Amino acid sequence: MKIRNTGRDEESIGLQMTAMIDIVFLLLVFFVMTFKIIAPEGDFNIKMPAQAAQGIPDDRAMPPIKIRITAGENGRIAGMKFADVPVANFEDLRTKVREIVGDAPGPGTLESTEIEFDCDYNLRYEYVIQAMTAVSGHVRDGQIIKLVEKIKFTPPRKQL
C-alpha cells in the first residue's frame, strides 16, 4: 500500500487563531455593553453594637436620634418613642423624621443625621425592618426620597 504525498507538510496544518480571537472580542464587547448595574436593594449604613467606632466624637455632628421600640406578647410592638415622645405608628415615625431632616438633601441633613434604635430583646425582626424603612426614606411621585442613611443599634435588652 502506497501513501500518497499531497505536498503538504505536517507543520503547515494549524489552527486559525484570528477567527477565534475576533469571536472572543465580540463576546467581550457584547457583555460589557449589555451589563446593567443596579442599585443594591436594602443597602443601609448600619453600625452594629460590636462595630461601634471608638475615638473622639466630632463636635459638629448631631447626637443620634434615639428611637425606643418596646415589645409586648409574642414579640409584637407594645410602643414606640421618638426622642422620648410616644409615636403611634410607622407613618408618624416617618413624619417626625421628616420634620427634623426635611425632604431636601443638603449639608447637615442626610449625611450628619444618625438614628439609634433601642429595641427589646424579643421584638420581632419584621417590626425592626419596618422601622428602618420608615426612617430611611419614602417614595414620592415615583422618586426615592432619602431621609437618614446612618442607622445604628444599641445592644438588645433582655427581659427581666
Side-chain angles (χ1 to χ4, degrees):
M1 188 184 281
K2 188 175 178 185
I3 299 177
R4 259 193 283 178
N5 189 2
T6 58
R8 289 194 221 167
D9 292 338
E10 290 181 18
E11 295 176 11
S12 66
I13 299 175
L15 296 175
Q16 296 296 323
M17 293 298 291
T18 308
M20 275 201 293
I21 291 173
D22 288 344
I23 290 173
V24 168
F25 279 117
L26 283 173
L27 287 173
L28 180 65
V29 168
F30 171 77
F31 287 121
V32 167
M33 294 298 179
T34 59
F35 180 70
K36 292 182 183 177
I37 299 174
I38 58 170
E41 188 173 318
D43 186 18
F44 298 107
N45 185 8
I46 298 175
K47 290 183 191 173
M48 298 305 282
Q51 298 175 346
Q54 301 295 326
I56 301 170
D58 189 8
D59 292 337
R60 298 173 291 162
M62 274 179 52
I65 301 166
K66 296 188 185 287
I67 297 176
R68 172 84 175 112
I69 305 175
T70 56
E73 290 186 28
N74 298 327
R76 298 194 185 280
I77 292 181
M80 275 193 297
K81 288 185 178 180
F82 177 82
D84 294 329
V85 176
V87 178
N89 54 30
F90 295 116
E91 189 59 40
D92 290 344
L93 180 63
R94 178 179 291 125
T95 303
K96 293 279 189 189
V97 171
R98 285 177 67 189
E99 287 173 3
I100 291 178
V101 176
D103 285 340
T109 57
L110 184 65
E111 296 84 17
S112 64
T113 306
E114 184 174 29
I115 290 194
E116 181 176 354
F117 282 105
D118 184 9
C119 303
D120 279 347
Y121 184 75
N122 63 339
L123 181 67
R124 292 176 67 174
Y125 186 66
E126 64 185 274
Y127 299 118
V128 176
I129 294 299
Q130 288 176 359
M132 287 175 55
T133 303
V135 302
S136 63
H138 62 282
V139 177
R140 181 177 53 188
D141 299 330
Q143 293 183 342
I144 298 173
I145 309 295
K146 292 184 179 181
L147 295 175
V148 176
E149 287 185 343
K150 295 180 182 178
I151 297 172
K152 68 180 183 178
F153 291 91
T154 60
R157 297 181 184 198
K158 292 192 178 188
Q159 277 190 327
L160 301 173

